[in-house]
Amino acid sequence: MYNKFTLQDFLNDDAFIRWALHNQQDAYWQQVLVDYPHKQEVIRQALQLIQELHRAEDKQTLLVNEERTWQRISEKTINQDPLGRWPKRRYWTTATVVSLVVVLVAGWLWVERSKSTSTYSKLVIKASEKSILIEKVNQNDTPLKISLEDGSVVYLKKNSRFSYPAHFTTKSRETFLSGEAFFQIAPNPKKPFYVYANELVTQVLGTSFDIKAFDNEQQVLVKVRTGRVSVYNQNQIRLVSDESQHLILLPNQQVVFNRQTESLSKQLVEEPIPIHPFIGNEKRYFEDVPVATVLQALEKRYDVRILYNEELLANCIITTTLSDQSLIDQLEVICQTIGATYKEMDAQLVIESSGCP
């Protein structure tokens, strides 16, 4: 894995940085030193640079001594042969040196500042005190499939990070996400599954859902595809359940956390999908039936609550066919037919009508 790692690759590796600054997973990195002896010098230089830049940031200064920095990070590496990926020093101008130093320092300080405000990073550091975590990072367009020991599967999307223990505890399954992923969780009523996605905690027993929780976006989003989840906001960096303000989400529902107002709101997803597909000769065509009969069929198919006044709609008779169109499109056709309107409230659809003659 580390055969082709350059100095910059180690500087960009979060697990390596945590080792350099907090000595996390020390046994693992000591073994890396043994397994890749030809990388020991590059690793030493990366460690030194990370630690010195961290100390410099603690002093709140961006001043860089060009000659010291050059000697520190370039003395060995730039004199390597062409396979070392760095040209010899005689090809480097003062401007090039300064540019390299500024880029490295600015990049590192940006990473450190991001980490200081990243709930994900703080949670991972805290969780690492109890057990060694595995971190997966996906920079590709194709989702990265991650299989967990309990049979659960996570599809990690582009520019996302996911951390999890190699072995879950006997009481719970705790994982950590920054970015976006789709989860298919293996059922285990005795062992709840938790996803700490920055400010939001999602607790499930067995279901499938999406989470979108990038560090730099205004909102955190959880969408449920099947099953049932509990979502709540954690005001502090801690790995304990605090469900006093939790929201229960059902299929085709989502919760949005606004980072500015620190508020949670439950909504329908933009495009509800059928949860119970048509089977065999299940009835799709309805002729001259009360509209309530069709609405009940839609409720069952999408697992979405549709509220209406049964007395007002008692005389509304329609003929229609349930299709593979979206729930919203079908509901609009029904409302137009009976002269009604609808609105969404708390992840439910409310039909408003003055009745039918």
Side-chain angles (χ1 to χ4, degrees), residues 243-254:
E243 302 178 53
S244 58
Q245 301 296 325
H246 73 288
L247 292 176
I248 300 297
L249 296 184
L250 301 176
N252 283 323
Q253 294 182 352
Q254 66 182 19

Side-chain angles (χ1 to χ4, degrees), residues 16-230:
F16 183 84
I17 292 172
R18 288 195 291 271
W19 177 50
L21 296 181
H22 309 292
N23 205 36
Q24 291 183 18
Q25 299 184 340
D26 182 62
Y28 172 82
W29 287 104
Q30 293 298 337
Q31 189 60 46
V32 170
L33 291 170
V34 174
D35 294 341
Y36 301 89
H38 59 292
K39 290 295 180 182
Q40 290 181 4
E41 181 61 22
V42 175
I43 291 174
R44 183 192 66 77
Q45 293 168 10
L47 282 171
Q48 187 176 3
L49 181 58
I50 288 172
Q51 292 164 356
E52 292 195 14
L53 288 176
H54 186 63
R55 286 193 292 270
E57 189 195 28
D58 287 342
K59 295 178 182 178
Q60 297 184 342
T61 177
L62 287 175
L63 296 177
V64 177
N65 183 303
E66 176 195 330
E67 201 57 39
R68 275 186 63 247
T69 305
W70 174 264
Q71 292 173 358
R72 182 171 72 241
I73 67 174
S74 306
E75 190 174 58
K76 301 294 183 183
T77 55
I78 64 171
N79 290 309
Q80 294 177 359
D81 59 23
L83 295 178
R85 302 188 179 207
W86 292 83
K88 292 185 178 181
R89 183 171 182 176
R90 63 175 177 270
Y91 296 113
W92 290 64
T93 66
T94 300
T96 304
V97 173
V98 172
S99 298
L100 173 64
V101 170
V102 169
V103 168
L104 287 175
V105 172
W108 170 250
L109 293 177
W110 180 85
V111 169
E112 280 298 281
R113 278 194 293 270
S114 296
K115 284 180 174 292
S116 67
T117 58
S118 169
T119 305
Y120 166 81
S121 297
K122 294 176 183 178
L123 286 167
V124 167
I125 290 173
K126 191 172 186 65
S128 297
E129 298 173 358
K130 297 192 300 182
S131 61
I132 295 177
L133 298 182
I134 300 169
E135 182 176 63
K136 298 291 186 181
V137 181
N138 186 16
Q139 302 291 351
N140 300 316
D141 293 330
T142 304
L144 173 64
K145 181 180 179 181
I146 304 170
S147 298
L148 306 182
E149 67 163 357
D150 65 336
S152 299
V153 179
V154 179
Y155 295 89
L156 190 64
K157 299 185 181 181
K158 186 176 182 181
N159 296 328
S160 302
R161 299 175 180 274
F162 181 66
S163 292
Y164 59 98
H167 303 289
F168 292 117
T169 66
T170 57
K171 295 183 178 180
S172 66
R173 297 170 285 174
E174 294 181 340
T175 63
F176 307 88
L177 172 70
S178 175
E180 185 173 4
F182 175 67
F183 294 79
Q184 292 179 322
I185 305 305
N188 189 342
K190 296 181 179 180
K191 211 175 196 180
F193 193 101
Y194 294 89
V195 182
Y196 292 84
N198 285 317
E199 295 91 338
L200 285 193
V201 182
T202 301
Q203 177 186 351
V204 301
L205 296 177
T207 184
S208 60
F209 55 95
D210 290 278
I211 296 181
K212 186 177 181 182
F214 286 99
D215 293 341
N216 58 348
E217 292 189 356
Q218 182 62 41
Q219 296 180 331
V220 180
L221 184 68
V222 178
K223 297 181 180 180
V224 177
R225 188 170 299 185
T226 62
R228 171 186 177 127
V229 307
S230 174

